[in-house]
Amino acid sequence: MKYQRIKGTFDILPEESAKWVYLESIVRDAMRRFNYKEIRPPIFEMTELFARGIGEGTDIVSKEMFSFTDMGGRNLTLRPEATASVVRAFVEESLGKKSPLNKVFYIGPMFRQEKPQKGRQRQFHQFGAEAIGSSDPKIDAEIIAISVQILKDCGISQFEVAINSVATPEIRAKHRTELLKFVEPIADKFPSVDREKIERNPLRLFDSKEQLTKSLLTDAPLLSQFYDEAVKRDFELVMATLEKLNVPYSVDPRLVRGLDYYTRTAFEVRSSLLGAQDALSGGGRYDLLIQELGGDATPAVGFAAGMERTLLAMEATGNKGFTEKPLDIFIVAVNPDERTEAANLAGALREAGLSVDLDYLERSQKSQMKEAARQNARFAIFVFSDDLKDRVYTIKNMTTTEQQKLPYEGILRATLSI
Ligand code: HAM
């Protein structure tokens, strides 16, 4: 029987891992500059946490979660996102008592049982940040600025930031009533995929990819028509701060998010470098979630970005990412004595900080040299029995092809100095 990876999952192969490490290092460096500290919650949690946190009516909870029962009969779920986990940790560990404002970031795999396609997997990776403890609209702008900064650091310039305010539950309720008055009389005109949204969550009609739905909604009432003064003021302050930070954005009054916890600011960063799945990142404010999950009322805002999509966009711009550092030295040795000496020499050079490899496949000198070239080694060192009594080795610079005999100290000087 041949085993295959599960549909919608991918192996990150050794030849690809350098670009992942590169992206992770960009993320870590940006998070350091914005002073966010890493948090690593577990990969699975009680199903209830996500159901309550993300919302029972969302696609994620109603049809995309990888849930299972453990041996104790508990219902568990592989995390579809990390915000609910971060909030659970914040409440459980009383992080709010330790610091009035917690700024955290995470990098890791997420799991959603969606239909796989380009840029959409069942196991995918996100990096994200959450700032828990402040209602200042300037921190909403900081969160958006981090996601934009990381894209810039990746060399991606082709993207758009769309922002909206999804206001408060009270304002959404008023809007919902008016929206239903508009939509219900024409309900049977909507494509069947969207018809069920009318009952479940009519606001999500705005999220539809269907052209027909879009045109039916042309004159539909918008949430922005129901904003109160406080919502308006906060939204204006987010925009003013973005302008000061030189973060280009556009207001998309139809922007809705696929998770229920948002209040006020919501945003998405999209790129035409991607296909149909064009969202690089998304996020917003979630002032009611902490209380919903059992904590004291605490304002919070955050975002998460898809790493596969970020890498796709990075490659589309021509930034191939970090190329792995070449191997410093490949040691060529053929006879048993030479091979023993090669192993000792490798040990000493590795201890000194150099990357060193040697042959373990009983290959000839010629094919060992081929291997050194295939590995892009900077130097090849030949261990010859005849040289052992003088304690010297033959070192070849693989770029210049220049060759010389040197003792161990000379080898160190020659290889470490470049
Ligand atoms: P989200 O919009 O569901 O938000 O996901 C954020 C990003 O993850 C998306 O923009 C996309 O790039 C990537 N993504 C989502 N699903 C997939 C998938 N199936 N395959 C590949 N990439 C995917 C959240 O997850 C929120 N937790 C963000 C947040 C943090 N809001 C506040 N704090």
Side-chain angles (χ1 to χ4, degrees):
M1 152 162 201
K2 267 205 174 162
Y3 296 107
Q4 291 176 329
R5 50 172 201 264
I6 307 296
K7 196 173 158 197
T9 69
F10 288 92
D11 299 302
I12 297 169
L13 297 171
E15 73 232 34
E16 294 159 328
S17 55
K19 70 181 181 207
W20 283 82
V21 172
Y22 173 64
L23 175 55
E24 284 163 16
S25 69
I26 287 174
V27 171
R28 286 178 197 287
D29 194 59
M31 295 301 177
R32 177 188 63 77
R33 283 179 280 154
F34 284 87
N35 198 27
Y36 285 67
K37 300 276 191 299
E38 187 171 6
I39 184 166
R40 299 190 188 194
I43 303 287
F44 58 98
E45 302 266 3
M46 303 289 284
T47 298
E48 172 72 15
L49 172 73
F50 299 118
R52 286 207 70 169
I54 300 167
E56 301 273 4
T58 60
D59 283 354
I60 296 180
V61 172
S62 64
K63 44 190 184 208
E64 295 170 2
M65 296 210 295
F66 280 101
S67 300
F68 59 98
T69 311
D70 76 355
M71 284 191 257
R74 281 169 289 256
N75 205 338
L76 308 179
T77 292
L78 298 183
R79 62 180 188 193
E81 58 110 47
T83 310
S85 304
V86 169
V87 169
R88 197 259 318 126
F90 172 86
V91 174
E92 187 174 1
E93 307 287 343
S94 305
L95 298 184
K97 298 215 168 65
K98 294 174 191 157
S99 163
L101 177 60
N102 281 270
K103 303 213 295 184
V104 298
F105 78 94
Y106 45 84
I107 300 177
M110 310 291 159
F111 306 84
R112 295 183 194 175
Q113 223 161 142
E114 294 186 85
K115 205 168 182 309
Q117 64 178 85
K118 186 168 177 249
R120 193 160 77 190
Q121 284 115 247
R122 292 187 167 176
Q123 175 174 340
F124 61 99
H125 297 77
Q126 284 185 345
F127 59 83
E130 314 288 348
I132 306 178
S134 168
S135 57
D136 185 343
K138 289 199 283 303
I139 203 160
D140 303 32
E142 174 172 289
I143 283 287
I144 298 172
I146 303 174
S147 59
V148 165
Q149 184 63 52
I150 291 172
L151 294 178
K152 283 192 190 156
D153 293 349
C154 287
I156 303 167
S157 53
Q158 218 170 304
F159 60 81
E160 282 134 43
V161 181
I163 64 168
N164 191 17
S165 172
V166 294
T168 61
E170 298 74 36
I171 292 171
R172 282 205 295 270
K174 279 190 203 147
H175 171 243
R176 186 192 152 100
T177 310
E178 293 307 308
L179 184 60
L180 282 176
K181 275 190 209 158
F182 178 88
V183 164
E184 269 168 349
I186 52 167
D188 54 348
K189 294 200 177 130
F190 282 89
S192 54
V193 283
D194 284 336
R195 228 168 291 152
E196 52 113 25
K197 287 184 189 162
I198 298 175
E199 290 216 347
R200 202 149 51 106
N201 187 353
L203 197 59
R204 298 239 37 203
L205 284 171
F206 286 114
D207 206 15
S208 173
K209 297 237 188 291
E210 301 289 321
Q211 215 40 58
L212 177 59
T213 303
K214 284 185 186 166
S215 59
L216 286 170
L217 290 177
T218 313
D219 297 320
L222 294 172
L223 190 54
S224 51
Q225 291 158 4
F226 300 83
Y227 289 170
D228 62 16
E229 282 311 309
V231 164
K232 237 185 261 172
R233 189 200 54 219
D234 280 3
F235 193 32
E236 275 159 15
L237 233 143
V238 174
M239 293 189 276
T241 314
L242 286 175
E243 275 151 39
K244 280 191 206 110
L245 294 173
N246 281 323
V247 175
Y249 67 88
S250 59
V251 176
D252 177 358
R254 289 156 192 264
L255 183 136
V256 284
R257 301 268 302 129
L259 306 95
D260 277 353
Y261 47 63
Y262 293 106
T263 50
R264 295 170 195 263
T265 312
F267 79 97
E268 239 161 49
V269 181
R270 303 174 189 137
S271 175
S272 54
L273 294 167
L274 302 172
Q277 301 303 315
D278 65 350
L280 281 168
S281 66
R285 183 161 277 288
Y286 50 94
D287 288 345
L288 305 172
L289 181 61
I290 289 126
Q291 206 168 19
E292 179 73 27
L293 296 178
D296 297 334
T298 313
V301 57
F303 85 98
M307 296 181 77
E308 285 81 2
R309 294 185 194 179
T310 306
L311 287 169
L312 275 175
M314 195 170 92
E315 279 162 42
T317 61
N319 181 355
K320 296 273 180 255
F322 181 77
T323 42
E324 228 164 327
K325 259 180 110 177
L327 181 68
D328 290 321
I329 298 166
F330 192 93
I331 308 179
V332 179
V334 180
N335 302 332
D337 284 356
E338 295 169 352
R339 284 179 180 272
T340 307
E341 178 61 19
N344 295 342
L345 180 61
L349 291 168
R350 286 167 176 163
E351 193 106 333
L354 291 150
S355 61
V356 184
D357 209 353
L358 60 163
D359 177 59
Y360 291 109
L361 301 172
E362 301 285 327
R363 281 176 285 193
S364 66
Q365 190 191 73
K366 195 170 160 208
S367 55
Q368 288 186 41
M369 273 311 286
K370 266 200 196 145
E371 182 62 21
R374 197 183 69 83
Q375 297 230 22
N376 238 331
R378 292 164 55 223
F379 294 95
I381 296 178
F382 299 87
V383 179
F384 294 126
S385 311
D386 289 350
D387 290 337
L388 289 182
K389 56 179 185 324
D390 303 326
R391 307 228 45 82
V392 289
Y393 310 95
T394 301
I395 177 165
K396 177 177 179 180
N397 181 321
M398 298 290 279
T399 322
T400 62
T401 71
E402 184 194 345
Q403 217 163 288
Q404 54 181 327
K405 277 191 199 296
L406 290 172
Y408 177 71
E409 291 69 27
I411 298 259
L412 272 189
R413 265 195 302 277
T415 51
L416 282 171
S417 64
I418 298 185

